[in-house]
Every structure is written in structure tokens, then in C-alpha cells.
Amino acid sequence: MKTTLISATELAALPPDAVLIVDCRMDLADPAQGRRDYLAGHIPGAVYAELDTDLSDLSLQSQGMGRHPLPSAEAFSAVLGCWGWRPGLQVVAYDAGNGALAAARLWWMLRFAGERAVTVLDGGYAGWQRAGLPVETTVPLRAATSVAVQFDPAQVVLDHTALHAAPAPLLIDARAAPRYRGDTEPLDPVAGHVPGARNRPFADNLAADGRFKDAAELRRDFLAVLGTRAPAEVVHMCGSGVTACHNLLAMEHAGLAGSRLYAPSWSGWVSDRSRPAATGEE
């Protein structure tokens, strides 16, 4: 059972009936681009996951839950059933090649549902292609299943007040430094960050080839951010609860399990303009 990362060669060696492969490629600027890329070519046997419909419930945006609100457990169960998933089946999620978007989100959501047999393809689709492995354009026909998962509320923060309730967690923001500082904000109506949050851009988890850095190096990096805090005291955020999952994955890969996700993230925080916004380095 693989639980954090899997290499392209390891995935290629798995029997097709022993794994559910999920293509999570997407483009925030063009939500339809991911499916077009999937139809143009994907890892054999892979199904496709839409961030906006399969891994989010956009109808909850008006409730202050951010740009990509979590779906209900019932809705997520229906998605998993359509993919032919069953409890214990190894899941491999992949994206274009940086793990930054919906692949890590799907990894975390299955962990949120109590499943451990889920991993992200290290290097993504780009790494698969570099390895010279086959691709296909056929959309697989998988037999639907009937499943019902339950979410573990201990793994998520939805209440904005919990971020500053005593004892306050260590909040780590996965956005790029210019967005964290408030130099620019291309997606949300307010620039800056939650007061007290520290910045750890998700891109810092990756080596130049798009694969995750060595676990020991990641551990050193995150321990420098955590200081005296334990992983269980950490809450991750980003713009909408997607790229923050990359830091969750990186910490677990580094042996620092137990942190949580602030799912509404910055877009949820600024849905109430009375909440403070900090700018600059902190």
C-alpha cells in the first residue's frame, strides 16, 4: 500500500485491477482545460476528476466556505462510486506535473474520509511521459460501486474563529510569497494574509524536475517553520483549500503527520470584510 508518493515506474508495475488512477489536471484560469487535456491523452485506465464538481461544492461559496468549498460526504461518496472505487483499493492521483492542484486535494480528501491507500504520482503526467510510458485517449468504462464514506472532522478547520482561539494553531499559508505579502492578488477581493500566518509556498516542496524533494530535506525545511510546534498544532491554508493540501502531503511524506486543513482558506476568510488582513512579511 502506497500512502504518500509513488513513482511512474512503480505505478506502471501495478496490475490494472489493483489500482484506481485519477487524472486531476486542471487550469484555474480555464476550468475546462483539464478535461480537454485528459481527452487528448492520459495514463491508461485513468478516470477524470473535476475540481469544481467532483472535489468541491460551489453552491456553498455564498456561505463563506471559500472558492472551492468541500462537498458533503454523501456527494463525495457518489463520485467515488461512479469511479468504481471500493474501500481499500489503491488510489493514485496525478496532475500535470507539480502535484500542486487537485491531485493533492484528492489525496487529502480520501484521507479526510479515513482512507490510507491513496498516493500522488511523483512528477505527475509530465514525469510519466518523460519515462516513455504509454498513454491513451480511451475513456475507461468502470463498473459503478455503492460506497458511503464519512469525513473525520478532526482533520479540518471550517470555523474561522478557531484560527485565533486559545491555544491558537500555527497557520501555514501555501500561496506564493507575493500573494502572501499582499503585493498582488489575482483571484480574491482582498490582498494579504491572515494575521499570524507563516508563509511556506507549496512550490518549495519540489525539486527542479517537478518531483518532491527528498523526505529528509522536506523534514528539515518544515521543522524550521514549525519551531517548537508539533505537527498536530499546524493548520494549513492557501487561497481556496487546494494547494494547501500540497503542504499537508509534503509534511506527511517527511514523517510529520497530524496537521489539519483550513478548508475555506484565504477566500473564505475575506468573505467577511470585517476580518483583518495583514500585509508584508510576518
Side-chain angles (χ1 to χ4, degrees):
M1 178 176 69
K2 303 291 288 187
T3 60
T4 53
L5 299 173
I6 189 171
S7 71
T9 53
E10 287 174 320
L11 174 57
L14 291 179
D17 61 352
V19 62
L20 170 62
I21 305 172
V22 186
D23 187 316
C24 300
R25 285 178 288 172
M26 61 157 297
D27 183 343
L28 285 174
D30 181 1
Q33 183 61 50
R35 184 171 288 278
R36 290 196 295 268
D37 290 342
Y38 168 77
L39 294 174
H42 52 263
I43 294 175
V47 298
Y48 183 70
E50 293 271 8
L51 173 62
D52 287 350
T53 57
D54 297 328
L55 308 181
S56 307
D57 182 351
L58 301 190
S59 71
L60 300 178
Q61 287 177 331
S62 62
Q63 299 180 25
M65 291 293 102
R67 282 183 280 105
H68 292 106
L70 293 174
S72 67
E74 293 77 14
F76 189 47
S77 295
V79 169
L80 294 173
C82 286
W83 292 342
W85 176 82
R86 63 182 185 275
L89 177 64
Q90 178 71 63
V91 177
V92 176
Y94 73 89
D95 55 29
N98 57 15
L101 295 171
R105 166 84 162 208
L106 176 57
W107 173 86
W108 179 82
M109 286 183 64
L110 280 163
R111 301 301 290 269
F112 186 33
E115 292 297 318
R116 292 197 57 81
V118 54
T119 185
V120 168
L121 176 60
D122 200 10
Y125 191 65
W128 180 269
Q129 291 181 302
R130 282 196 301 270
L133 293 165
V135 300
E136 67 179 16
T137 58
T138 303
V139 176
L141 296 175
R142 295 181 61 90
T145 56
S146 178
V147 295
V149 299
Q150 293 184 335
F151 290 149
D152 177 5
Q155 296 190 48
V156 69
V157 173
L158 297 172
D159 182 359
H160 309 288
T161 63
L163 300 181
H164 293 122
L170 172 61
L171 190 58
I172 298 180
D173 191 324
R175 293 176 299 162
R179 289 187 68 196
Y180 168 83
R181 292 193 302 262
D183 300 344
T184 183
E185 182 44 65
L187 297 171
D188 296 309
V190 179
H193 58 268
V194 175
R198 297 182 187 177
N199 190 210
R200 163 66 186 192
F202 72 86
D204 290 352
N205 298 325
L206 302 173
D209 62 359
R211 292 186 297 175
F212 277 74
K213 293 177 180 176
D214 177 81
E217 182 178 359
L218 287 171
R219 185 179 181 87
R220 289 193 298 270
D221 290 350
F222 274 102
L223 287 176
V225 178
L226 269 59
T228 60
R229 296 293 197 103
E233 299 176 78
V234 174
V235 172
H236 295 276
M237 66 169 292
C238 55
S240 64
V242 179
T243 57
C245 297
H246 199 275
N247 276 349
L248 277 151
L249 173 59
M251 279 188 62
E252 181 138 343
H253 178 57
L256 299 169
S259 56
R260 295 176 289 163
L261 174 69
Y262 171 43
S265 283
W266 181 244
S267 55
W269 179 264
V270 300
S271 64
D272 182 344
R273 301 297 180 87
S274 71
R275 296 187 184 116
T279 55
E281 302 288 353
E282 191 167 303

